[in-house]
């Protein structure tokens, strides 16, 4: 279980494109019917996603006049390299979402003609405002141009066309765009994108993700009074030296994508996309000095984390849940990408970040079944009777006893020939999700650098006598696990058998005990696996 756990070295999205662009199929969606999507048993039922096609990063989450707005990278083609739009959805409770269609589209011939990439939403003097990265490249590909040192990115602003419209349907790009046309003079950045903003006094501050080969990832800091005229200050933070950033043949490894900077209970936190990493440290003179790091989510399926603060002063975390099957399978399905559930970030007494599902999710709970105090013998029964589901929440408390590994099996056939294990390994002190046997579908065996089936996880050290407390959300092909309020682990499974719905317990190398296991059926948030409203997404 050693090395394959460590996802810090997982590729970034753009690195992946550089490595595999030739192999990527860019498939139009004509053949896909809405009913096909609505009946696709791998499509989640209580996670936000567009009606069809492609979704990646969460963008500009915003609480405005009693509603949560979520934007996300949307593309009409199933390809990581497709042209990016901003899809838009609203919710009054963080759980039930309504897709509103496209908020931002690339302007032909404009500074975002090849895509409206990731960014943030803020309220500026009462006006909801989007700040994002526009991209352009010529007939050559993006990567040919980047290799020559050209930076295809610029920073853009759009304002709510009618701030009285509480749904904020229409956005107007300002005529001054781009508000920042090039990275600071003299810097040889490998990328320059994904603005994140905050206010101090009367001034706006913005960090932009960047990086230089030899120096590594960095978040460049700018300031402005009006979101239009920006002054570059200095790097807010630069990655600690690491061997990857010395590798000129993999320039994208030297980039911090999607930086997100905020104070949590007064403590500065910087998030960067790779490995769902968070950095803690000090913030003085507008510089962040990194002291330690950790991972919010251990799963390589979660990427491009982004947070928001709501009216309850909570720090809510979102991420793109990417697919873990071949591009061809994604194209055949007609959809790819899911928004994570809302997760709350908490500062723990030991100074580390904790993560828990937002309480609002409890509104989805329906029929409940509990089994108290069960011995989990290594050769014990496979499944819990009456627990079957792929649209459920499971809460479990497990005492490891003398077992080396123990906890839950989910999405299992009666005979266990297909199953996914979610558990804790006493020897490595790791929470893990083992999807090695989750499917016999060859499309779930993915060539590196992407991850398909296998073992993923990360370290949470249970104290002596501490039980493992899990909350697991099963939603078709998505599994989101929370452990002891300390970390989450997002994974994907595509069981070949429609009967792979069993839930049970397992122990290896000894006997464990479950103090209790509860399963709630969860109510879908749409009757059609979120395929309605496709017409709003015509581009
Ligand atoms: C992260 C990312 C961002 C970029 C966006 C484009 O997944 O590469 O850096 O803005 O996706 O879709």
């Amino acid at each position: 279980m050693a090395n394959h756990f460590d996802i810090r070295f997982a590729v970034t999205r753009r690195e992946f494109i550089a490595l595999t662009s030739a192999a990527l199929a860019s498939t139009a969606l004509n053949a896909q019917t809405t009913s096909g999507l609505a009946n696709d048993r791998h499509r989640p039922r209580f996670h936000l996603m567009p009606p069809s096609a492609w979704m990646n990063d969460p963008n500009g989450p915003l609480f405005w006049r009693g509603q949560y707005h979520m934007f996300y990278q949307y593309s009409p083609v199933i390809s990581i390299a497709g042209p990016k739009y901003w899809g838009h959805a609203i919710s009054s409770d963080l759980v039930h979402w309504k897709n509103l269609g496209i908020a931002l589209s690339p302007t032909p011939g404009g500074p975002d003609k090849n895509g409206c990439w990731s960014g943030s939403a803020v309220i500026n003097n009462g006006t909801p405002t989007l700040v994002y990265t526009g991209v352009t490249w010529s007939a050559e590909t993006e990567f040919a141009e980047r290799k020559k040192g050209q930076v295809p990115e610029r920073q853009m602003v759009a304002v709510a066309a009618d701030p009285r419209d509480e749904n904020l349907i229409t956005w107007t790009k300002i005529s001054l765009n781009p508000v920042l046309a090039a990275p600071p003079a003299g810097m040889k950045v490998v990328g320059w994108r994904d603005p994140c903003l905050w206010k101090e006094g009367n001034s706006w501050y913005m960090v932009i993700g960047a990086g230089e080969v030899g120096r590594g990832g960095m978040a460049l800091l700018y300031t402005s009074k009006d979101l239009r005229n920006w002054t570059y200050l200095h790097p807010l933070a630069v990655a600690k030296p690491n061997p990857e950033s010395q590798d000129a043949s993999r320039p994208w490894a030297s980039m911090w994508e999607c930086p997100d900077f905020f104070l949590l209970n007064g403590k500065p936190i910087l998030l960067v996309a790779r490995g769902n990493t968070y950095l803690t440290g000090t913030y003085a003179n507008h510089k962040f000095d990194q002291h330690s790091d950790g991972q919010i989510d251990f799963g390589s399926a979660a990427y491009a984390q982004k947070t928001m603060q709501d009216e309850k002063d909570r720090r809510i975390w979102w991420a793109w849940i990417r697919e873990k099957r071949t591009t061809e399978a994604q194209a055949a399905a007609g959809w790819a990408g899911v928004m994570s559930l809302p997760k709350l970030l908490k500062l723990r007494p030991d100074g580390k970040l904790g993560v828990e599902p937002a309480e609002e999710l409890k509104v989805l709970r329906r029929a409940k079944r509990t089994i108290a105090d069960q011995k989990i013998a290594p050769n014990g029964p496979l499944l819990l009777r009456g627990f079957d589901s792929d649209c459920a929440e499971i809460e479990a408390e497990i005492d490891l006893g003398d077992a080396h590994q123990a906890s839950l099996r989910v999405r299992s056939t009666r005979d266990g020939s297909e199953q996914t294990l979610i558990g804790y390994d006493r020897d490595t002190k790791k929470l893990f999700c083992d999807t090695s046997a989750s499917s016999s579908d060859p499309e779930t065996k993915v060539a590196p650098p992407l991850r398909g089936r296998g073992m993923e996880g990360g370290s949470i050290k249970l104290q002596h006598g501490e039980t493992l407390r899990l909350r697991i959300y099963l939603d078709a092909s998505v599994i989101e696990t929370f452990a002891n309020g300390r970390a989450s682990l997002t994974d994907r499974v595509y069981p070949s058998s429609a009967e792979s719905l069993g839930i049970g317990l397992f122990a290896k190398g000894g006997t464990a005990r479950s103090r209790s296991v509860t399963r709630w059926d969860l109510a879908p948030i749409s009757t059609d696996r979120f395929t309605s409203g496709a017409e709003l997404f015509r581009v």
Side-chain angles (χ1 to χ4, degrees), residues 45-182:
R45 277 166 289 194
F46 58 88
H47 280 77
L48 168 62
M49 60 189 156
S52 66
W54 174 275
M55 189 206 98
N56 59 290
D57 312 1
N59 292 155
L62 177 72
F63 185 79
W64 167 250
R65 300 209 174 134
Q67 296 194 100
Y68 293 92
H69 290 256
M70 177 55 87
F71 304 88
Y72 50 81
Q73 290 283 282
Y74 168 78
S75 177
V77 295
I78 309 286
S79 162
I80 204 160
K84 297 296 164 57
Y85 296 66
W86 278 39
H88 181 193
I90 50 167
S91 169
S92 53
D93 66 358
L94 261 189
V95 178
H96 295 89
W97 291 95
K98 185 173 159 207
N99 265 311
L100 297 179
I102 304 269
L104 289 178
S105 308
T107 299
D112 58 6
K113 69 180 168 113
N114 293 105
C116 302
W117 283 13
S118 290
S120 300
V122 291
I123 308 297
N124 182 32
N125 294 330
T127 305
T129 304
L130 307 180
V131 186
Y132 67 99
T133 300
V135 290
T136 55
W137 43 87
S138 62
E140 292 182 78
T141 68
E142 175 193 349
F143 285 97
E145 296 190 4
R146 279 191 203 274
K147 272 196 185 136
K148 284 194 263 161
Q150 293 165 16
V151 177
E153 290 124 342
R154 58 223 68 221
Q155 314 311 326
M156 309 277 292
V157 167
V159 293
D162 178 6
R164 285 164 310 175
D165 167 18
E166 61 186 29
N167 290 340
L168 302 174
I169 301 275
T170 315
W171 296 84
T172 310
K173 296 177 191 174
I174 64 169
S175 54
L176 263 176
N177 277 328
V179 293
L180 278 171

Side-chain angles (χ1 to χ4, degrees), residues 30-356:
N30 308 337
Q32 198 60 47
T33 63
T34 312
S35 79
L37 289 161
N39 293 316
D40 180 342
R41 65 187 170 85
H42 295 310
R43 258 171 91 80
R45 277 166 289 194
F46 58 88
H47 280 77
L48 168 62
M49 60 189 156
S52 66
W54 174 275
M55 189 206 98
N56 59 290
D57 312 1
N59 292 155
L62 177 72
F63 185 79
W64 167 250
R65 300 209 174 134
Q67 296 194 100
Y68 293 92
H69 290 256
M70 177 55 87
F71 304 88
Y72 50 81
Q73 290 283 282
Y74 168 78
S75 177
V77 295
I78 309 286
S79 162
I80 204 160
K84 297 296 164 57
Y85 296 66
W86 278 39
H88 181 193
I90 50 167
S91 169
S92 53
D93 66 358
L94 261 189
V95 178
H96 295 89
W97 291 95
K98 185 173 159 207
N99 265 311
L100 297 179
I102 304 269
L104 289 178
S105 308
T107 299
D112 58 6
K113 69 180 168 113
N114 293 105
C116 302
W117 283 13
S118 290
S120 300
V122 291
I123 308 297
N124 182 32
N125 294 330
T127 305
T129 304
L130 307 180
V131 186
Y132 67 99
T133 300
V135 290
T136 55
W137 43 87
S138 62
E140 292 182 78
T141 68
E142 175 193 349
F143 285 97
E145 296 190 4
R146 279 191 203 274
K147 272 196 185 136
K148 284 194 263 161
Q150 293 165 16
V151 177
E153 290 124 342
R154 58 223 68 221
Q155 314 311 326
M156 309 277 292
V157 167
V159 293
D162 178 6
R164 285 164 310 175
D165 167 18
E166 61 186 29
N167 290 340
L168 302 174
I169 301 275
T170 315
W171 296 84
T172 310
K173 296 177 191 174
I174 64 169
S175 54
L176 263 176
N177 277 328
V179 293
L180 278 171
M187 290 187 80
K188 288 208 174 76
V189 298
V190 297
W192 181 60
R193 56 180 176 270
D194 310 337
C196 160
L197 288 85
W198 68 94
K199 211 166 183 188
E200 290 180 33
N202 290 328
S203 299
W204 285 102
Y205 288 85
M206 167 168 77
V207 278
I208 298 181
E212 284 185 321
V213 174
R215 281 180 85 194
M218 53 186 81
L220 303 180
L221 184 66
Y222 295 76
T223 188
S224 168
K225 292 274 183 225
D226 57 5
L227 299 184
R228 279 131 178 97
N229 299 289
W230 289 95
T231 307
Y232 173 62
L233 297 176
H234 46 247
L236 171 80
V238 179
K240 290 234 163 106
N242 75 71
E244 287 209 308
S245 61
Q246 307 300 325
D247 186 350
S249 69
R250 301 174 66 227
W252 322 115
S254 302
M255 162 100 201
W256 269 354
E257 289 185 309
C258 308
D260 198 53
F261 183 65
F262 53 88
L263 298 181
L264 190 62
N265 300 355
K267 292 264 186 303
I269 309 281
L270 178 64
L271 308 184
V272 296
R274 178 179 283 236
N276 303 308
T277 301
Y278 71 86
L279 308 174
T280 56
T282 52
Y283 178 55
N285 304 321
H286 294 111
K287 289 190 174 154
F288 175 80
D289 187 17
Q290 177 190 334
H291 293 174
S292 71
D293 64 359
Q295 271 179 289
I296 291 171
D297 192 292
F298 296 141
S300 67
Y303 192 69
Q305 52 185 346
K306 179 95 187 151
T307 70
M308 68 186 291
Q309 193 170 19
D310 73 354
E311 90 294 3
K312 295 180 191 148
D313 257 4
R314 302 180 300 176
R315 187 51 63 174
I316 305 174
W317 184 97
W318 304 94
W320 160 38
I321 303 181
R322 52 186 171 186
E323 303 300 316
K324 290 178 81 178
R325 54 180 170 173
T326 63
T327 315
E328 291 72 20
Q330 296 173 35
W335 64 279
V338 180
M339 186 68 73
S340 73
L341 293 176
K343 308 185 181 182
L344 299 186
L345 297 186
K346 306 250 168 90
L347 199 61
R348 296 175 57 82
D350 60 3
K352 296 200 186 322
L353 281 195
V355 58
E356 280 165 13

